[in-house]
């Protein structure tokens, strides 16, 4: 067939799928090391959109593309486009510093996450649309894992081993014309390590399982490239992409070539039963600073550094760690007697998972068998919060509760309602009904004698839950009106129960959430039920109408917004990006530093607190 169709299952690649030797079990020879089992049978593609928030704003207003653009939350540049990066700006820089480095930087407020959340959903649905299964997992707003294993299995079986250079990738089992031509003798895009060519035919250099794995990853790299091109052409977004056999490796290897590029981690992966050679996985992962490994949290990385360096590592917020304070994976992995039980000694303690030693040992060895979790139609909970320098009186609390509740209800309407709003507002239905309302607050630590305040390393929140009243689902009223009723009927009394003696001191955080989600009957678990084509069209037409506005005007708009920000900072919510968190609750609060007054993302707060403690 002209489209490259070949008869299924010819010889040389027959043994390609799910060979038992693809599930590699290796007994590590070194003392104290437990058996690590790595599943190499999957092909996982990780997408990380480039400068995501900035790209969303550029899609809205293409005139911004050629300008240095920074997105502001609180006093921080949460991201900036690559033009700004070229001029020396970077993520998580203070706004003040960014303005000094690049005075003509265009700064746009990114406090309201609605447009980022919406774009994230559209793009996620777009990417998921390529899969045959629902194995697409969103991490935060701008990362997506696709498990393309079954597509690769199918296409491996259809390869013509005598003419790999003229292969055809089938995107649809039912439609043999839907797909693309590709050269299966080489990877598409860069690889780690860089490769001059793949010795697919050289049996002496590469054992069979690794040879098969190579071919599977080659197919994965072509599929990734194809999806990236469509994402760019049809949605206007570029992404940095990694291809490997696990979420961990795909995510990490993608970072090797940024932006708008892709990288495949190529075999030999090592640790196979036959080969004793150190594979590319160790070679790759060993060079990473421990804190860069997804799954090794901030506290664990700090403990590992302390253990290896025999002293507390120093921190500088918002900058790369000094070389002398860096601890690489290899330093930990190869340190004497290191293994799961040693790691449990170092990292374990109250509140840590019981398997933290083994899990960390796996990660340090590049092993991650966690599944790409299937998409869920609705989130587990929705939560909105803001942080403050100190809310001291009840009327301010009530005002904040109203603002937060309004955002919460708007968000519920976006995320939990299915269908298209007709002119008469019919045709809408709730896909899920949360049953519980939760109010959480955090108090500022009290002042020491010298006026300073101690940083509290614990979460420090107190919460109260109550049944969610039914009127919250009333769509006939505006979000503001429903919010007001929610505050008066529920939240005020919940707040009073949290602080019965009326003395709450100064609050540094208020969070309002709906939890205990019950999906409505008939909601298709796997489907978002949204019309992607329509949403993209809408987004593009919004962009087209906005792009008619001149850049200069936009600059002024941003400055105006900037000023209004100084007087009003509601709606501060940021998505969590740690490995364990998923898209359920896109909340990463900031906390006000008691020493310098800056709003610092929580993940960076302990580093920031230490920074103040370190003498100049
Ligand atoms: P990239 O991937 O280096 O091209 O740049 P981004 O902007 O896509 O950065 P990424 O992938 O780390 O994060 C995606 C978005 O999430 C980013 O556009 C802004 C937001 N974000 C990331 N990290 C933080 C953070 O630490 N704090 C806050 N507030 N927002 C963040
Ligand atoms: Mg990104």
């Amino acid at each position: 067939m002209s489209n490259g169709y070949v008869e299924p299952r010819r010889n040389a690649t027959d043994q390609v799928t799910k060979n038992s030797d693809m599930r590699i079990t290796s007994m590590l020879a070194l003392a104290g090391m437990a058996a690590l089992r790595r599943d190499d049978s999957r092909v996982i593609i990780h997408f990380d959109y480039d400068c995501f928030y900035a790209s969303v704003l550029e899609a809205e207003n293409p005139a911004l593309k050629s300008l240095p653009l920074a997105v502001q939350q609180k006093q921080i540049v949460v991201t900036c486009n690559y033009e700004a990066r070229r001029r020396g700006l970077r993520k998580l820089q203070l706004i003040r510093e960014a303005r000094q480095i690049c005075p003509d930087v265009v700064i746009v407020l990114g406090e309201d996450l609605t447009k980022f959340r919406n774009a994230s959903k559209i793009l996620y649905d777009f990417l998921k649309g390529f899969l045959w299964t629902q194995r697409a997992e969103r991490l935060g707003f701008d990362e997506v894992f696709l498990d393309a294993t079954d597509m690769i299995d199918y296409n491996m079986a259809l390869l013509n081993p005598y003419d790999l250079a003229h292969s055809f990738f089938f995107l649809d089992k039912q439609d043999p014309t839907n797909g693309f031509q590709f050269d299966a003798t080489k990877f598409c895009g860069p690889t780690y390590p860089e490769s001059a060519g793949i010795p697919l035919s050289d049996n002496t250099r590469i054992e069979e399982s690794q040879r098969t794995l190579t071919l599977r990853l080659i197919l994965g790299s072509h599929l990734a490239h194809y999806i990236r091109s469509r994402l760019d052409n049809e949605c206007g977004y570029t992404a940095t992409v990694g291809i490997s056999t696990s979420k961990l490796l795909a995510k990490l290897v993608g970072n090797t070539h940024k932006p708008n590029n892709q990288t495949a981690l190529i075999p030999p992966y090592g640790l196979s039963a036959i080969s004793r050679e150190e594979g590319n996985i160790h070679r790759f992962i060993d060079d990473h600073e421990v804190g860069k490994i997804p799954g090794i949290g901030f506290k664990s990385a700090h403990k590992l550094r302390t253990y290896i360096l025999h002293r507390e590592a120093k921190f500088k917020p918002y900058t790369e760690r000094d070389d002398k304070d860096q601890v690489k994976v290899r330093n930990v992995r190869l340190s004497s007697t290191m293994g799961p039980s040693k790691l449990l000694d170092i990292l374990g303690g109250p509140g840590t998972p019981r398997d933290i030693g083994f899990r960390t040992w796996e990660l340090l060895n590049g092993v991650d068998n966690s599944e790409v979790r299937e998409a869920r139609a609705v989130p587990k909970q929705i939560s909105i919060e803001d942080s403050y320098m100190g809310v001291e009186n009840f009327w301010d609390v009530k005002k904040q509760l109203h603002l937060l509740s309004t955002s919460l209800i708007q968000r519920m309407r976006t995320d939990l309602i299915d269908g298209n709003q007709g002119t008469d507002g019919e045709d809408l239905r709730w896909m899920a009904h949360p049953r519980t309302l939760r109010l959480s607050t955090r108090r500022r630590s009290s002042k020491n004698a010298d006026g300073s305040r101690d940083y509290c390393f614990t979460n420090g929140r107190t919460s109260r839950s109550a049944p969610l009243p039914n009127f919250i689902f009333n769509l006939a009223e505006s979000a503001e009106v429903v919010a007001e009723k929610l505050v008066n009927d529920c939240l005020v009394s919940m707040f009073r129960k949290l602080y019965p003696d009326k003395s709450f001191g100064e609050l540094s955080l208020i969070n309002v959430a709906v939890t205990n989600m019950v999906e409505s009957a008939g909601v298709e678990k796997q489907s978002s039920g949204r019309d992607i084509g329509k949403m993209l069209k809408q987004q593009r037409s919004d962009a087209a109408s906005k792009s008619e506005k001149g850049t200069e005007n936009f600059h002024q708009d941003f400055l105006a917004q900037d000023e209004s920000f100084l007087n009003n900072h509601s709606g501060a919510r940021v998505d969590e990006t740690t490995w364990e968190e998923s898209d359920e609750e896109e909340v990463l609060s900031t906390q006000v530093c008691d020493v310098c007054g800056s709003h610092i993302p929580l993940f960076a707060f302990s580093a920031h607190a230490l920074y103040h403690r370190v003498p100049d």
Side-chain angles (χ1 to χ4, degrees):
M1 270 194 194
S2 59
N3 66 10
Y5 179 82
V6 288
E7 291 289 316
R9 290 243 175 225
R10 300 248 183 103
N11 42 24
T13 53
D14 278 359
Q15 42 322 39
V16 292
T17 54
K18 308 259 166 103
N19 285 353
S20 57
D21 61 352
M22 298 282 285
R23 189 173 278 273
I24 297 168
T25 302
S26 307
M27 293 301 298
L28 298 183
L30 299 175
M33 291 188 178
L36 290 177
R37 206 173 70 157
R38 194 183 65 231
D39 179 0
D40 282 342
S41 67
R42 298 177 298 166
V43 174
I44 293 177
I45 306 175
H46 173 256
F47 288 79
D48 181 335
Y49 311 126
D50 298 321
C51 52
F52 181 54
Y53 288 7
S55 300
V56 173
L57 298 169
E58 287 177 359
E60 239 183 20
N61 172 22
L64 291 171
K65 284 191 179 172
S66 54
L67 302 171
L69 169 67
V71 184
Q72 170 174 3
Q73 278 175 358
K74 306 293 184 186
Q75 294 307 320
I76 293 168
V77 172
V78 282
T79 195
C80 49
N81 67 3
Y82 279 80
E83 177 55 27
R85 293 187 203 191
R86 207 178 54 76
R87 301 202 198 180
L89 299 200
R90 53 182 173 73
K91 295 190 276 188
L92 303 185
Q93 196 162 35
L94 293 173
I95 289 285
R96 186 172 11 101
E97 211 175 295
R99 282 214 170 97
Q100 276 161 8
I101 295 170
C102 180
D104 55 342
V105 61
V106 177
I107 296 177
V108 185
L109 281 182
E111 296 271 325
D112 180 357
L113 301 183
T114 312
K115 60 178 76 154
F116 309 129
R117 184 182 305 114
N118 290 346
S120 170
K121 278 193 187 136
I122 293 172
L123 298 178
Y124 168 71
D125 286 340
F126 182 81
L127 293 180
K128 192 173 66 172
F130 288 93
L131 292 185
W132 296 347
T133 63
Q134 295 297 318
R135 289 201 199 97
E137 179 178 336
R138 203 156 67 104
L139 183 69
F141 281 172
D142 92 321
E143 293 180 51
V144 176
F145 295 97
L146 299 182
D147 183 338
T149 306
D150 59 339
M151 297 176 85
I152 302 295
D153 288 348
Y154 182 82
N155 279 281
M156 285 288 285
L158 295 178
L159 283 176
N160 177 356
Y162 304 109
D163 190 11
L164 288 174
H166 300 95
S167 298
F168 187 83
F169 197 104
F170 296 89
L171 291 166
D172 185 342
K173 281 190 211 171
Q174 266 70 53
D175 176 6
T177 62
N178 183 2
F180 57 91
Q181 290 184 326
F182 73 105
D183 178 355
T185 64
K186 21 178 161 22
F187 277 94
C188 184
T191 58
Y192 178 93
E194 278 174 34
S195 159
I198 305 301
L200 270 179
S201 54
D202 181 353
N203 285 328
T204 58
R205 284 195 51 204
I206 188 163
E207 59 187 73
E208 186 56 31
S209 66
Q210 298 291 294
R211 186 179 170 281
T212 302
L213 179 56
T214 303
L215 196 47
R216 293 171 67 80
L217 292 167
I218 287 178
L219 265 63
S221 72
H222 285 276
L223 176 61
H225 183 263
Y226 175 82
I227 298 176
R228 274 181 52 226
S229 319
R230 298 252 324 247
L231 182 72
D232 191 0
N233 295 336
E234 291 167 40
C235 309
Y237 285 80
T238 62
T240 292
V241 169
I243 304 110
S244 187
T245 52
S246 69
K247 293 199 304 190
L248 171 73
L249 296 172
K251 179 174 160 75
L252 278 180
V253 80
N255 283 330
T256 320
H257 296 88
K258 286 177 79 161
N260 193 14
N261 211 334
Q262 64 180 67
T263 314
L265 181 62
I266 61 174
Y269 274 9
L271 291 181
S272 83
I274 307 165
S275 158
R276 281 266 160 252
E277 91 183 277
E278 177 108 318
N280 286 340
I281 290 183
H282 276 148
R283 197 169 149 194
F284 172 65
I285 207 159
D286 270 357
D287 253 348
H288 286 77
E289 214 281 331
V290 283
K292 299 266 164 150
I293 303 298
I296 299 186
F298 177 81
K299 280 191 203 151
S300 292
H302 185 65
K303 287 180 187 167
L304 291 173
R305 284 184 205 111
T306 305
Y307 175 80
I308 297 292
L309 298 172
H310 305 293
R311 62 170 169 83
E312 288 252 326
K314 293 202 181 74
F315 299 101
K316 279 190 184 170
Y318 319 122
T319 54
E320 282 295 310
R321 197 171 300 281
D322 285 347
D323 274 358
K324 63 181 172 31
D325 284 328
Q326 288 201 2
V327 167
K328 301 268 166 91
V329 168
R330 99 161 43 75
N331 304 131
V332 182
R333 192 174 70 80
L334 299 177
S335 87
S336 99
T337 72
M338 188 51 70
S341 53
K342 184 81 196 169
L343 286 165
L344 184 61
D345 288 347
I346 300 169
L347 306 175
T352 55
R354 279 202 344 234
D355 65 347
I356 192 166
F358 186 71
R359 176 77 184 126
T360 308
W361 183 236
E362 283 189 321
L363 295 172
L364 293 172
N365 283 281
V367 175
D368 170 32
N369 296 322
S370 65
E371 294 285 320
V372 175
R373 281 185 295 177
E374 297 194 8
R376 272 222 312 271
V378 291
K380 270 198 228 153
Q381 60 174 5
I382 297 176
S383 143
I384 306 285
E385 70 184 30
D386 204 350
S387 54
Y388 313 94
M389 274 299 270
V391 179
E392 295 177 77
N393 75 62
F394 177 72
W395 297 109
D396 285 342
V397 169
K398 211 172 154 191
K399 194 167 135 201
Q400 294 307 325
L401 286 174
H402 187 251
L403 287 171
L404 294 169
S405 304
T406 305
S407 303
L408 180 72
I409 290 157
Q410 281 163 344
R411 172 84 183 276
M412 283 173 66
R413 291 179 177 186
T414 313
D415 289 5
L416 301 181
I417 290 184
D418 195 15
N420 301 313
Q421 182 141 28
T423 41
D424 51 3
E426 282 170 9
D427 198 18
L428 298 176
R429 82 184 179 120
W430 289 93
M431 293 191 291
H433 290 81
R435 296 286 183 229
T436 305
L437 177 67
R438 191 186 62 209
L439 171 67
S440 312
T441 61
R442 189 176 56 214
R443 295 159 82 153
R444 282 182 96 188
S445 52
S446 46
K447 277 190 183 162
N448 298 322
D450 62 357
S452 66
R453 293 178 201 256
D454 292 330
Y455 172 66
C456 171
F457 273 86
T458 59
N459 174 321
R461 295 183 186 208
T462 46
S463 302
R464 181 110 206 160
S465 295
L468 188 66
N470 265 338
F471 65 74
I472 201 163
F473 303 108
N474 178 4
L475 293 171
E477 302 279 13
S478 72
E480 284 81 3
V481 170
V482 178
E484 194 161 351
K485 198 161 157 51
L486 191 70
V487 173
N488 292 330
D489 289 12
C490 308
L491 288 167
V492 164
S493 65
M494 289 166 79
F495 185 79
R496 293 215 190 278
K497 282 179 187 150
L498 269 181
Y499 299 103
D501 58 359
K502 296 188 181 169
S503 62
F504 52 89
E506 294 175 67
L507 296 183
S508 61
L509 177 136
I510 305 176
N511 176 306
V512 183
V514 287
T515 66
N516 193 7
M517 201 71 74
V518 178
E519 285 186 27
S520 312
V523 169
E524 233 186 289
K525 253 206 167 321
Q526 317 302 355
S527 140
S528 72
R530 289 158 212 270
D531 182 340
I532 302 168
K534 211 169 176 179
M535 288 196 274
L536 277 171
K537 214 164 134 198
Q538 179 63 40
Q539 208 189 35
R540 279 204 219 99
S541 80
D542 289 351
S545 63
K546 290 206 174 156
S547 69
E548 284 163 18
K549 246 186 168 185
T551 309
E552 208 178 291
N553 284 346
F554 266 92
H555 200 126
Q556 280 160 9
D557 286 355
F558 300 146
L559 287 176
Q561 282 185 30
D562 208 12
E563 264 168 37
S564 77
F565 168 77
L566 295 175
N567 304 319
N568 163 24
H569 74 276
S570 69
R573 293 150 293 139
V574 186
D575 46 319
E576 180 95 59
T577 50
T578 58
W579 184 252
E580 293 80 3
E581 304 316 306
S582 180
D583 52 345
E584 267 87 56
E585 194 179 1
E586 291 123 355
V587 172
L588 170 63
S589 55
T590 56
Q591 180 159 331
V592 180
C593 173
D594 288 323
V595 181
C596 64
S598 306
H599 288 262
I600 310 294
L602 268 190
F603 79 97
F605 202 90
S606 38
H608 186 85
L610 278 167
Y611 166 69
H612 283 303
R613 281 198 223 140
V614 176
D616 286 335

